[in-house]
């Protein structure tokens, strides 16, 4: 933490008017042979309620320099994302992931339709869908054990 001496404080107060922070920092560092960062000087100015008097806001009626011009970027247009491209993190249907609750999910449809693997395994083994008001739990508590004998249908109520 930099401690300003009374002489340095007076220097900032006298030189702040009409100066941008970068100019003032360079002047300050050259005058006092220190290596103060602009952020440190900015914090001092803000904490002490000092103002430079510079109004950098956009004035009413200002016309932006790029008004009416199109495609001002230089290059990269060939590699921009186009309609029909697949994102780099796209995964095909049938892929597996581990969700935030540590359950394994299987992607069942696009876009982004996932279902618990334990539910799919239980439904394939029993030949019916999970009834409403019921849940499938792991008998041994291991969420990676998809053995049909380990999957138990229980009521939610």
């Amino acid at each position: 933490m930099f401690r300003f001496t009374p002489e340095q404080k007076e220097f900032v107060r006298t030189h702040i008017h009409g100066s941008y922070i970068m100019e003032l920092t360079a002047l300050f560092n050259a005058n006092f042979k220190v290596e103060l960062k602009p952020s440190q000087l900015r914090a001092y100015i803000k904490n002490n309620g000092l103002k430079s008097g510079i109004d950098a806001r956009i004035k009413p009626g200002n016309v932006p320099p790029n008004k009416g011009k199109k495609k001002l970027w230089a290059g990269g247009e060939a590699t921009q994302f186009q309609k029909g491209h697949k994102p780099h993190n796209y995964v095909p249907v049938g892929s597996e992931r581990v969700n935030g609750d540590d359950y394994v999910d299987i992607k069942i449809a696009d876009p982004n339709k996932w279902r618990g693997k334990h539910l799919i395994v239980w439904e394939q083994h029993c030949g019916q869908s999970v009834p409403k008001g019921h849940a499938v739990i792991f008998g041994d508590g291991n969420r990676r054990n998809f053995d049909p004998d380990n999957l138990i249908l229980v009521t939610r109520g």
Side-chain angles (χ1 to χ4, degrees), residues 7-146:
E7 181 186 356
Q8 292 170 336
K9 291 178 181 179
E10 184 59 29
F11 179 85
V12 172
R13 269 190 225 105
T14 56
H15 289 83
I16 192 171
H17 297 288
S19 298
Y20 289 101
I21 196 71
M22 297 300 281
E23 299 168 5
L24 186 61
T25 304
L27 189 64
F28 185 90
N29 287 340
N31 196 36
F32 292 104
K33 308 282 190 260
V34 292
E35 293 184 16
L36 207 62
K37 295 178 185 173
S39 61
Q40 291 172 296
L41 196 57
R42 185 178 294 118
Y44 173 79
I45 291 168
K46 183 178 178 186
N47 290 339
N48 289 281
L50 301 174
K51 301 284 182 186
S52 69
I54 296 175
D55 186 12
R57 294 178 292 181
I58 297 173
K59 309 289 184 285
N62 179 49
V63 178
N66 60 350
K67 184 175 181 177
K69 298 178 182 176
K70 293 184 177 182
K71 297 186 177 184
L72 296 176
W73 60 86
E77 192 171 356
T79 60
Q80 287 181 350
F81 192 82
Q82 302 284 325
K83 186 176 182 179
H85 286 181
K86 289 185 178 177
H88 71 281
N89 57 355
Y90 172 81
V91 290
V93 173
S95 301
E96 293 185 3
R97 72 174 182 189
V98 178
N99 67 20
D101 295 328
D102 202 32
Y103 287 96
V104 175
D105 290 339
I106 296 177
K107 188 170 186 178
I108 56 172
D110 276 328
N112 250 0
K113 292 280 186 183
W114 296 84
R115 189 139 195 262
K117 183 176 181 179
H118 63 291
L119 301 173
I120 294 171
V121 169
W122 186 88
E123 288 174 354
Q124 286 175 347
H125 180 72
C126 295
Q128 64 178 9
S129 62
V130 177
K132 193 169 187 172
H134 290 73
V136 176
I137 62 171
F138 296 90
D140 63 356
N142 181 5
R143 293 180 179 173
R144 301 292 187 278
N145 185 0
F146 298 103

